[in-house]
Amino acid sequence: MEFTDTWGGTYPAIVRLWEAAWAEFVPLLRFDVEIRKIVCTTTAIQSINARIRKAVRARGHCPTDQAALKCVYLAVMSLDPTGTGRRRWTMRWKAALQAFDITFDGRLTATRR
């Protein structure tokens, strides 16, 4: 394998890790390039997850699934309360949103109708 030949002598632990994780990595390659860019952009995703965790922790427990969804929805909507950032966000993520919509058979746009 070319990767092993190039980096095996210098970084043997990395090569072992790469080979062990190959089965989990290959399914990612089936997605479009736009989706892979989003998946690899972890800083924004981690920021949103932190906001959601903070909101859920402050709320305590949620008695129903609907209450949990409302808590998550309000946490995400509070990221941009005026809605002005949404326009810029969708322009930057437009290709990725379209790829998600095609890949996941319209599940993104089904809720907006």
Side-chain angles (χ1 to χ4, degrees):
M1 189 154 111
E2 192 176 324
F3 181 78
T4 305
D5 296 340
T6 305
W7 299 105
T10 311
Y11 303 105
I14 299 295
V15 171
R16 280 194 308 274
L17 180 66
W18 179 260
E19 290 171 350
W22 185 252
E24 288 84 24
F25 176 70
V26 170
L28 180 69
L29 298 176
R30 282 188 251 145
F31 291 113
D32 291 340
V33 175
E34 292 85 6
I35 293 175
R36 290 197 307 254
K37 283 181 188 176
I38 298 303
V39 170
C40 295
T41 309
T42 58
T43 305
I45 294 169
Q46 288 175 353
S47 173
I48 292 171
N49 286 340
R51 287 283 190 92
I52 292 171
R53 275 194 307 274
K54 182 179 176 183
V56 170
R57 196 176 314 120
R59 169 82 167 85
H61 90 290
C62 297
T64 64
D65 289 345
Q66 190 68 23
L69 283 173
K70 182 178 180 181
C71 184
V72 170
Y73 173 80
L74 291 173
V76 170
M77 293 311 288
S78 72
L79 296 172
D80 184 25
T82 61
T84 56
R86 173 180 262 170
R87 208 171 310 119
R88 290 189 315 263
W89 182 86
T90 55
M91 292 310 294
R92 283 192 306 246
W93 288 53
K94 191 170 195 154
L97 287 171
Q98 290 172 351
F100 274 117
D101 198 37
I102 291 167
T103 302
F104 296 105
D105 198 25
R107 282 188 264 170
L108 280 177
T109 54
T111 58
R112 285 190 258 160
R113 291 184 186 149

